[in-house]
Amino acid sequence: MKEMMKNTAILLVITIVAGLVLGLVYQITKDPIAEQEAKKKKEACQEVFQDAASFEPAEVNAVNANEWAQAGFAQESVDEVMSAIDASGNLLGYVVTVTTREGYGGDIQFSIGIRMDGTINGISILSISETAGLGMRAEEVLKPQFAGKQVEQFEYTKSGAVSETQIDAISGATITTNAVTNGVNAGLYYFRTVLGGGSANE
């Protein structure tokens, strides 16, 4: 009995010490991690809106869950919206950060720069864990295809894009292609329906 109590006490002490150490490590590392994340987001904003002088947080308004799902975005979420401002204080557009849960290797998060007329400046991938040599080629293959396009919705194709609305799929990685394409479409839908941005048909 005494031996059991002794072992219990030792385990309790070890647990308390481990908890204190983990808490200390968290306190030490949380600020540098937050700074790195903020730096990464700022760089992403600048990448997709190079002519903006500054970026200001915009309110992320909730969308009707049923409408969002019916539009085909049940696996997508809008995480953050930044207003892109020029040197004169004019609104150039928005940087919409989206997470899609349709990736082959997990969530994919990226920022989309969208001008007020609905033109996509580009996308910047923030987080991706797809298969090396396949889905991880999203940066190389998919990212350049969205820049400069002004459409309401994209679709991917395996046979070669023949219109502005089509995106060439990554060979052997249609799941990743589908995830990124749906994420961009979700960002555009949010831009039009919530942020009041322009439509390609206007």
Side-chain angles (χ1 to χ4, degrees):
M1 185 69 174
K2 289 182 179 179
E3 188 68 22
M4 185 184 297
M5 291 180 65
K6 179 182 177 183
N7 291 337
T8 301
I10 291 171
L11 286 173
L12 180 62
V13 170
I14 291 172
T15 302
I16 292 172
V17 171
L20 290 172
V21 170
L22 286 173
L24 180 61
V25 170
Y26 171 74
Q27 290 298 325
I28 292 172
T29 60
K30 71 173 184 176
D31 288 341
I33 290 172
E35 287 174 7
Q36 285 299 314
E37 289 179 351
K39 181 182 178 182
K40 192 173 183 179
K41 287 181 179 180
K42 183 179 179 181
E43 289 173 348
C45 287
Q46 290 175 333
E47 181 182 348
V48 299
F49 249 114
Q50 295 183 9
D51 56 336
S54 62
F55 299 93
E56 298 176 2
E59 185 176 353
V60 179
N61 296 308
V63 294
N64 182 284
N66 289 331
E67 291 179 7
W68 188 252
Q70 287 174 3
F73 307 125
Q75 298 301 310
E76 283 71 40
S77 62
V78 173
D79 307 322
E80 185 179 55
V81 178
M82 301 290 285
S83 300
I85 311 296
D86 70 11
S88 300
N90 300 310
L91 178 64
L92 296 174
Y94 296 96
V95 178
V96 181
T97 300
V98 174
T99 294
T100 175
R101 291 174 289 281
E102 297 187 81
Y104 183 80
D107 293 354
I108 302 173
Q109 185 184 55
F110 51 88
S111 294
I112 316 164
I114 312 173
R115 292 192 173 275
M116 292 307 294
D117 65 354
T119 301
I120 295 181
N121 273 348
I123 69 172
S124 179
I125 297 176
L126 298 170
S127 176
I128 185 169
S129 301
E130 300 297 270
T131 306
L134 295 173
M136 287 302 287
R137 296 181 64 216
E139 185 89 18
E140 165 197 348
V141 178
L142 299 180
K143 183 176 167 181
Q145 295 188 65
F146 293 102
K149 302 285 183 67
Q150 187 188 33
V151 303
E152 288 202 5
Q153 186 167 310
F154 291 95
E155 61 180 357
Y156 73 87
T157 176
K158 299 178 183 180
S159 56
V162 295
S163 71
E164 289 285 285
T165 62
Q166 293 185 323
I167 298 297
D168 284 323
I170 303 170
S171 179
T174 54
I175 293 176
T176 305
T177 303
N178 179 67
V180 174
T181 301
N182 283 348
V184 172
N185 286 338
L188 287 172
Y189 181 84
Y190 187 90
F191 171 75
R192 292 193 309 272
T193 60
V194 179
L195 298 175
S199 166
N201 293 331
E202 291 178 351

